[in-house]
Structure formats: structure tokens, C-alpha cells
Amino acid sequence: TPSDGDLASSLENQERRRLSAFDPKTVLRKNRQLGGHAKTWCEESLEAPLPYENCNADDIVYRIPLFGGMTNALKFVLLGTILAFEENRCFFVDEGEAELNTFDKKYYHDGGFIQRYFEKIGLSNEHPIVRKAYDENRLRSLTFKELWMDLRARRRYSEFSTIKSLDYIDIENYELKKIMMRRMWRPKPEVRERTCQALQDYGLHDDFISFSVRRGDKSMEKFDFITMQDYVASAEEAIEKRFNGVVPPVFVATDDCSVLPTLRIVRPDWRFVSECDKAKQEGFALSAMNRWSHEETDAHFGKFFIELYAMALSKYFIGVAYTNVAWWAFFMRNDRDSFKLLDFRDREEEILGAW
């Protein structure tokens, strides 16, 4: 059997290999040319992380389960985090049964999905406050119904919320979600640097369009997929109104790389860029993650972070509402006027107002 020293060395080597894909020393360059909004996500945040221990340790402690794909899971965590701070309650994120967490199911606060790519969110499941609440039967799980079906907890547009512990008084809900997202969801420096460097390497600044094309396991939910011709037609409208008739680069974020050849046939003179030119994908299915190696998982999320940042930083976004990717990108962005949903053309304002 291996000695403790051999095991420690093996773990160190695994961590070194993992970080090699996200090593800031290999990607950080001084000549970054990304546009103004990129500073929000491509530079170290000027806003402090949330003070998770500043809560009423003797009250109910919330358990926020991590479930579904990344943006679905983090949307739920974001809404739960806002509720917990509003009520001055402590909370932890439970990755014990998360499909995203293919790493450490027990000590996930130090070795799970969130810790692998982001700064920690909430208290540790082993934190004394959490353990004491467990012993005293004061843990309570937040549910989808509480956080999404309850429109007050969902934080609809043009309504207001107050979080006294953070000195947020009567903040419009969408602005509050954006603020809390920036303070809660903090990609690690090596992840952030690699992601933003990739966008620069594509020659993308802020004058580009992003397409979000989500397929994969969404076919099981019986959604009607939007055609590539519809994406192009919407882009042509935006080009005339927002780009002075000059066709900008188009970043295609998709889990189905078969759409890229179609786009290039439909508009051969346009410049489409995509992570699909580096690694092919035929549709993401969450259920397949448990068969991936850690290296495959890192590669998948490395691609996804680049796509998500592109959707957030582009001058104009075109996508669909049936994926939580669009929801997350929407709240990463600066404004709603440059955000187009193709599957709800006649109800776009209604849909966006209920997000």
C-alpha cells in the first residue's frame, strides 16, 4: 500500500495537472484589449466577497442543495443566498448528491465542484455553526418552490428588496441580483485569466455578437429548436441598428458543434468563432458527467466558461429562454436592451421581467 508521503505526492501531482489548464502564469498578458464591461469579469473584483459568517448562528440554518446543470444550480444558490442574507440566516451549499460534483461527495466545501473553479460560497458543511444546527435540528432545506415559484423570492423586475445586514436598502431586484452575483460567484483567478485570455486570442473586444445555441438533452424536454437562419436574421437586424451595417465577429456558444458548419454555409462571408473549432461536442447531457474523468470535466468547463464570458461581454446577445445559461448570462450583462430571445419574440419583455 502507498505511504502517506506517496499519497500526498500523488495528490499534489493531480492538483498540479488540474491547474495547468488554468495557470495564470501561462495566460496572463499585459496587452489585454477587451472592452470596458470586461473589467467587471476579467479583473479582480473591487467588491468584497459576501461575509458568510455574519449571520444569526442560533437561528435556522439553510441547506441549499446544488442540483441540475451549472447555471441552473447556481441560479438556485444565488436566490437562496439573497434570501438567507435578507433573513440574516446562515447557510451552506450541499453538494453531497450534486451531479456536478464528481469529485469529493463528503468534504465538498474543500474538494467539490464549487471549490474547484470558484471561491467558496456559504459556510462549510463541517462548520461549527452548521454542525450545531444539525445537532439541534435547526437545518432546513430550501426548495425550488420557495425560491422560484414564490415570485417575491424570485425577485422580479421593478420590485425592491432590502438586506439590512449588507446595507442594501430598497434596491431594485435585478440590480440586487447583479450585485449579489458579483459578490457570490467569483471564479478563481486562474479560471478568470485563462477565460479572458481566450477571448482576447480570438480577437474579440466588445464589438461582437454572441449566439447561444443550447440543444443536447433539451431535446428530451420537447423544446422546438430555433433554426440557424433565424439566428442569422436576428443578427442582421442588430447589425443594421447597432453596428452601423458592419458585420462584427460572431461568437457561437453551443453544446452542439454541428450548427457551426451550417452557419458558415448560410453566411460564408461572416466571421464565426467558437470553441467548437478546438473540441467537438455533439450535445451536453448532465447524466453523462459521472462517466467523465476529472480532466474531461475540466476541459468541458474550461470551454463553458469561455462561452459564458463571451455571452456576457458581447455587445449583442441572441439566444433562447429555455436554458438557464441565458438567465445567468443576462445577469452578468450590463443592460437588457441588447439581449434577444428568439423563442419568445412576442413575450420577450414579459419573460425578462419575470426572471
Side-chain angles (χ1 to χ4, degrees):
T1 59
S3 67
D4 290 344
D6 291 336
L7 181 59
S9 177
S10 174
L11 292 173
E12 287 175 6
N13 288 334
Q14 290 178 31
E15 181 70 359
R16 191 176 298 111
R17 286 194 298 272
R18 181 184 75 80
L19 288 175
S20 66
F22 298 110
D23 184 355
K25 295 189 290 299
T26 67
V27 297
L28 180 59
R29 300 178 186 172
K30 299 297 184 182
N31 63 337
R32 180 172 291 154
Q33 300 294 319
L34 296 173
H37 181 47
K39 293 182 178 180
T40 302
W41 295 106
C42 288
E43 296 183 3
E44 184 176 355
S45 178
L46 297 177
E47 299 185 64
L50 291 168
Y52 296 115
E53 293 190 355
N54 292 357
C55 53
N56 185 350
D58 297 319
D59 196 0
I60 288 171
V61 171
Y62 284 140
R63 168 190 171 268
I64 305 178
L66 195 74
F67 66 90
M70 191 189 88
T71 48
N72 176 81
L74 291 177
K75 176 177 78 173
F76 191 73
V77 172
L78 176 62
L79 295 176
T81 297
I82 294 173
L83 180 65
F85 273 95
E86 181 181 56
E87 297 177 346
N88 195 31
R89 286 177 169 168
C90 309
F91 75 92
F92 73 101
V93 179
D94 188 347
E95 295 190 36
E97 298 180 4
E99 292 173 289
L100 286 170
N101 179 16
T102 59
F103 309 106
D104 190 330
K105 294 286 191 181
K106 183 175 182 180
Y107 300 107
Y108 42 78
H109 193 71
D110 294 314
F113 173 80
I114 290 175
Q115 187 277 336
R116 193 171 184 86
Y117 305 113
F118 316 119
E119 294 181 18
K120 294 176 180 179
I121 300 174
L123 300 178
S124 165
N125 55 311
E126 298 294 326
H127 194 285
I129 291 175
V130 176
R131 300 310 306 169
K132 187 170 185 287
Y134 176 81
D135 292 339
E136 296 175 358
N137 198 29
R138 288 188 289 107
L139 289 184
R140 187 162 80 77
S141 297
L142 290 176
T143 66
F144 175 83
K145 182 177 180 180
E146 287 178 279
L147 294 178
W148 188 250
M149 303 308 292
D150 182 340
L151 297 182
R152 189 195 68 81
R154 194 193 298 186
R155 316 285 167 178
R156 291 189 302 182
Y157 180 66
S158 77
E159 297 178 1
F160 296 82
S161 298
T162 290
I163 301 179
K164 292 182 179 179
S165 64
L166 298 175
D167 200 28
Y168 295 154
I169 309 300
D170 290 333
I171 303 293
E172 194 280 320
N173 280 337
Y174 277 28
E175 183 62 24
L176 178 65
K177 281 191 272 195
K178 290 183 178 185
I179 293 170
M180 293 293 282
M181 175 187 283
R182 291 195 298 269
R183 297 188 68 179
M184 180 201 84
W185 187 65
R186 303 163 72 89
K188 287 186 171 182
E190 58 268 23
V191 174
R192 182 182 69 233
E193 291 294 343
R194 178 187 180 278
T195 299
C196 294
Q197 187 61 54
L199 295 182
Q200 179 176 314
D201 291 344
Y202 279 124
L204 300 176
H205 307 306
D206 53 355
D207 274 358
F208 69 98
I209 294 173
S210 61
F211 287 178
S212 172
V213 185
R214 174 74 167 93
R215 292 186 172 179
D217 54 9
K218 289 296 179 180
S219 62
M220 299 172 62
E221 299 176 45
K222 308 301 181 183
F223 288 110
D224 293 325
F225 294 145
I226 304 298
T227 68
M228 293 304 98
Q229 286 80 1
D230 286 336
Y231 275 88
V232 167
S234 182
E236 288 176 330
E237 291 180 15
I239 289 165
E240 291 302 316
K241 294 178 181 178
R242 295 174 178 269
F243 295 88
N244 298 317
V246 178
V247 180
V250 179
F251 186 99
V252 182
T254 182
D255 65 333
D256 183 357
C257 292
S258 68
V259 305
L260 205 58
T262 302
L263 287 168
R264 287 172 172 157
I265 291 171
V266 172
R267 287 296 180 273
D269 53 337
W270 287 17
R271 180 176 174 239
F272 294 102
V273 296
S274 176
E275 284 291 288
C276 284
D277 289 325
K278 300 177 183 177
K280 301 299 181 184
Q281 188 173 8
E282 297 179 355
F284 171 71
L286 182 63
S287 60
M289 277 194 62
N290 62 6
R291 299 191 297 271
W292 294 354
S293 68
H294 291 174
E295 289 77 13
E296 289 172 323
T297 302
D298 288 339
H300 168 80
F301 285 105
K303 171 182 179 289
F304 184 52
F305 297 143
I306 293 168
E307 294 176 333
L308 195 57
Y309 268 51
M311 288 183 265
L313 302 181
S314 60
K315 186 174 183 178
Y316 199 81
F317 168 94
I318 301 172
V320 288
Y322 62 69
T323 169
N324 287 294
V325 173
W327 190 97
W328 196 261
F330 177 79
F331 285 104
M332 289 180 70
R333 295 175 60 85
N334 266 345
D335 64 87
R336 62 189 291 167
D337 295 332
S338 60
F339 195 90
K340 186 67 177 176
L341 296 174
L342 296 179
D343 50 343
F344 284 98
R345 290 183 177 88
D346 299 330
R347 297 175 53 210
E348 187 172 70
E349 286 303 308
E350 175 189 348
I351 296 299
L352 291 180
W355 272 7

